[in-house]
Amino acid sequence: MNLKLIVLLVLCAVGSLSAQNKKWTLEECVAYAVEHNISIEQFELDLENAQIDYSDAVGGLLPNVNSSMSLSGNTGLSFDPTTNQPVTTTILTANGGVTSSLTLFDGLRNINRLNRAKMNEVANQYRLDDLKDDIRLNVANSYLQILSNKETLKVLNAQLSVTEQDLKRTKELVDAGVLPQGDLLEIEATAAGLEQQIVNTENLVLISRIGLAQLLQITDYENFDIADVDYEVPPSDILNSSAKEIFAEALTFRNDIKFSESNILLAKEDLKLSKGALYPTLAAFFNYNTRYSDQDGFDGSTGTFVPAESFTNQLWINDGISYGAQLNIPIFNGFSTRNSIKRSEINVKKAELQLEQDKLNLETDINQAYVDVKSFAKAYQAAQKTLEARQLAYDYSKERYEVGLMNAFDFSQAQSRVDNAAADLVRTKYDYIFRIKVLEFYFGLPLELE
């Protein structure tokens, strides 16, 4: 028994440790964010409300049926509801009935409400999917920012290691009297500067991790981390398509555009509903009722009172049916109907203008993303060349410094230029990767890192 308990505790500990050491991939982060984001959950509730509205609209096409029952007692002078005769006694009566009504015509508003409810459900789905798209892009941006900060940290640690070797070599040369003491102080200052940069970058890594964890609604910031993968710039054929071609493709599937188009349809249905108020309303109704009284009945042929019928018999004897139709014709309602129609017409125009504005915004975003991919590609290539040149210059400076042909200040400047070039290469690389993914996303490609 004790052995089983020990094994169980060990398995729990291993499972807990495994959960803490989990490294999240981009795909896992995106999937988790879409499932747990608070805004998405709120929009999903809006979608549920839209589905309930559709159920209400379906119910509006069906007849309503209601029943009622009452039991009352009167003492003193009152009228017996079954005989309409005055009585002075304590009387117990019961009434019951079933009523049903059905709208036959109301300017087709019941049909238009159903159509609007369908469209509203679709519109809410597009709005939800559009929010998911935004969440995916935000997660990808935050994820790549962590990778960029981590890789920058690796570069700084590598540079610090090199600087520490230079510091050791310089100390040996200073102790041998080959270099002055000031050169050693200059190298120590360079190492201290790198250590400070490392501390700052470690803070950036932590802050970016917390930012992504908050985006994913994860509260365990300390144990949250992403997979340590050094992604290279992915091959992409996205620039083989022009910005206009990407825009044309985006119009066919972008959820924000679909949402705006749905809003136009909703506004047009609202206009139909407003116009429906100009028409008469025709409704049919049906009522079945019955009653019971505990009073004796009066026989008019004999002029004598007879005992009250049983409860069941009275329900059949005293029942009745009423039915009919009701027509309401709108004549004048203080301009409210006409003004409602005018407002609905304005809303249709506003929805159409909003669609055009959304298309313009999308085209602007795609053009900007297209230009960004080209410009960041050039920036990344330039950063690569700059780092190569700075590294060669540093190697040359190091050779000159070690033979006493360069002072420590100039040598530290060469080191600093290499550090800056390396950090700039990391930054431009991940900026370039993100811009590629954004443009591909506009073209309908999934957010994936290979």
Side-chain angles (χ1 to χ4, degrees):
M1 186 67 179
N2 291 335
L3 180 59
K4 290 183 179 180
L5 180 60
I6 293 174
V7 170
L8 180 61
L9 292 175
V10 170
L11 290 176
C12 291
V14 171
S16 176
L17 182 61
S18 175
Q20 293 179 356
N21 294 333
K22 175 180 174 58
K23 301 290 185 178
W24 294 68
T25 65
L26 175 60
E27 291 74 18
E28 290 174 335
C29 288
V30 169
Y32 190 89
V34 168
E35 184 177 353
H36 295 87
N37 184 267
I38 292 178
S39 297
I40 288 179
E41 291 179 357
Q42 291 174 331
F43 277 31
E44 286 175 342
L45 293 177
D46 290 339
L47 179 58
E48 289 185 22
N49 274 330
Q51 293 168 346
I52 295 173
D53 291 340
Y54 176 74
S55 179
D56 285 339
V58 172
L61 298 174
L62 304 176
N64 62 67
V65 180
N66 297 285
S67 64
S68 63
M69 291 179 288
S70 66
L71 177 66
S72 63
N74 290 288
T75 299
L77 179 63
S78 61
F79 280 87
D80 185 345
T82 60
T83 62
N84 286 325
Q85 297 295 322
V87 294
T88 306
T89 185
T90 299
I91 180 173
L92 180 66
T93 61
N95 293 278
V98 177
T99 301
S100 177
S101 63
L102 174 65
T103 300
L104 301 177
F105 180 79
D106 65 346
L108 300 180
R109 282 180 291 179
N110 50 0
I111 302 297
N112 292 329
R113 288 190 191 96
L114 180 62
N115 293 334
R116 190 193 187 284
K118 290 180 182 178
M119 295 174 188
N120 189 42
E121 183 177 350
V122 173
N124 275 275
Q125 184 64 60
Y126 283 136
R127 188 177 70 147
L128 175 61
D129 292 339
D130 183 48
L131 176 61
K132 290 180 179 180
D133 289 343
D134 292 339
I135 294 296
R136 291 185 181 101
L137 281 178
N138 291 336
V139 169
N141 188 26
S142 298
Y143 192 92
L144 291 175
Q145 187 62 55
I146 297 175
L147 289 178
S148 178
N149 291 334
K150 282 190 170 186
E151 193 162 331
T152 300
L153 183 60
K154 291 178 183 178
V155 170
L156 291 174
N157 282 320
Q159 294 295 345
L160 178 60
S161 178
V162 172
T163 301
E164 288 174 344
Q165 294 177 3
D166 292 337
L167 181 62
K168 181 179 179 181
R169 174 63 176 163
T170 300
K171 189 175 185 305
E172 292 174 353
L173 294 175
V174 169
D175 292 341
V178 177
L179 294 176
Q181 183 69 26
D183 285 3
L184 178 60
L185 296 176
E186 189 66 39
I187 300 298
E188 288 177 343
T190 300
L194 281 172
E195 290 175 351
Q196 184 177 4
Q197 291 183 54
I198 288 173
V199 171
N200 293 335
T201 306
E202 287 175 342
N203 289 334
L204 289 177
V205 171
L206 177 60
I207 292 173
S208 57
R209 279 171 47 204
I210 291 175
L212 180 57
Q214 290 177 332
L215 193 58
L216 270 58
Q217 308 298 322
I218 293 177
T219 57
D220 188 8
Y221 305 138
E222 295 181 356
N223 295 317
F224 173 77
D225 202 358
I226 65 173
D228 293 325
V229 180
D230 183 11
Y231 290 102
E232 298 299 328
V233 175
S236 177
D237 298 328
I238 191 63
L239 292 181
N240 291 338
S241 302
S242 66
K244 286 187 175 296
E245 291 173 336
I246 296 174
F247 173 65
E249 179 66 21
L251 288 177
T252 64
F253 71 90
R254 286 284 301 179
N255 291 304
D256 50 351
I257 299 300
K258 297 297 183 182
F259 177 62
S260 294
E261 292 173 345
S262 299
N263 283 337
I264 294 178
L265 297 177
L266 285 173
K268 290 181 178 179
E269 288 300 323
D270 288 336
L271 178 58
K272 292 179 182 178
L273 287 171
S274 299
K275 290 181 177 180
L278 295 173
Y279 294 91
T281 300
L282 178 63
F285 64 88
F286 173 86
N287 175 263
Y288 172 82
N289 62 83
T290 186
R291 61 183 62 88
Y292 163 80
S293 171
D294 65 347
Q295 297 299 301
D296 295 335
F298 180 77
D299 188 347
S301 62
T302 62
T304 61
F305 286 91
V306 296
E309 294 284 348
S310 67
F311 178 80
T312 304
N313 288 340
Q314 284 198 44
L315 292 182
W316 290 107
I317 296 172
N318 298 325
D319 67 346
I321 297 175
S322 61
Y323 46 87
Q326 181 177 2
L327 179 67
N328 291 323
I329 302 175
I331 298 176
F332 179 75
N333 48 30
F335 308 112
S336 62
T337 301
R338 295 292 179 182
N339 290 337
S340 177
I341 293 174
K342 290 179 181 179
R343 291 189 185 95
S344 297
E345 291 172 342
I346 291 173
N347 289 335
V348 171
K349 294 178 181 178
K350 289 175 64 177
E352 291 172 345
L353 291 173
Q354 185 62 51
L355 174 61
E356 295 304 315
Q357 184 63 57
D358 290 341
K359 288 181 178 179
L360 287 174
N361 292 341
L362 177 61
E363 187 174 18
T364 299
D365 292 341
I366 289 177
N367 286 329
Q368 182 63 54
Y370 198 86
V371 171
D372 285 346
V373 170
K374 287 187 171 181
S375 61
F376 276 95
K378 294 178 180 178
Y380 176 60
Q381 294 170 0
Q384 288 177 311
K385 294 178 180 178
T386 300
L387 180 58
E388 292 175 359
R390 295 298 187 196
Q391 188 63 51
L392 291 173
Y394 169 77
D395 294 339
Y396 179 65
S397 299
K398 185 174 182 179
E399 293 175 359
R400 296 187 64 197
Y401 174 72
E402 289 179 346
V403 297
L405 296 179
M406 176 180 284
N407 59 45
F409 177 77
D410 291 337
F411 178 61
S412 66
Q413 290 299 304
Q415 173 71 65
S416 178
R417 285 190 285 270
V418 171
D419 297 340
N420 293 335
D424 190 54
L425 177 63
V426 172
R427 179 183 59 80
T428 55
K429 182 181 79 169
Y430 282 100
D431 282 343
Y432 180 38
I433 292 175
F434 180 66
R435 264 63 184 189
I436 290 176
K437 291 303 174 183
V438 168
L439 192 57
E440 289 180 343
F441 196 63
Y442 282 127
F443 199 59
L445 300 178
L447 282 173
E448 295 178 351
L449 291 177
E450 299 178 357

